[in-house]
Amino acid sequence: MMEPLEDNKWKNIFWMLGYSTVIGLLLAVFSFIPGLIRFVFSLGALLLGIRFFGKYDSIGLRIGMIVLSVIFIVFFIMIGVIIMYANGMLDEVPA
């Protein structure tokens, strides 16, 4: 039988994973989109990070969120580059 604290721990880890995934996705999209609209994605990631840090004050969760966000950024950028390469979008040189 799980203790209530143990259940709360897994719930916090689930939310950390969710926040990290969304922040990583927003920052990956930020790196692909040209123009001023890209800063909306950066601002969204910043606001989600501030919300997470305000909600969870555990150092472990905060460090985990940052590390997982960086891992997800790299993962989503790799997926985006693979998709762009497969569609022939990387052959063009931007002006």
Side-chain angles (χ1 to χ4, degrees), residues 20-39:
S20 299
T21 305
V22 174
I23 289 171
L25 183 62
L26 286 172
L27 290 176
V29 171
F30 168 81
S31 68
F32 285 119
I33 294 182
L36 290 177
I37 193 70
R38 68 190 288 179
F39 295 108

Side-chain angles (χ1 to χ4, degrees), residues 62-83:
R62 289 180 176 188
I63 292 173
M65 194 272 298
I66 292 170
V67 169
L68 281 176
S69 294
V70 170
I71 290 171
F72 280 124
I73 291 168
V74 172
F75 175 74
F76 287 130
I77 287 176
M78 284 176 37
I79 296 298
V81 168
I82 290 170
I83 290 171

Side-chain angles (χ1 to χ4, degrees), residues 3 6-7 15 28-29 35-37 45 57 69 85 87 89-90:
E3 298 175 10
E6 194 70 25
D7 185 36
W15 281 109
V29 171
L36 290 177
I37 193 70
D57 57 353
S69 294
Y85 182 76
N87 291 328
M89 293 181 191
L90 293 181

Side-chain angles (χ1 to χ4, degrees), residues 12 51-63:
N12 291 343
R51 181 177 173 154
F52 181 83
F53 274 42
K55 192 172 183 180
Y56 300 100
D57 57 353
S58 168
I59 298 297
L61 283 175
R62 289 180 176 188
I63 292 173

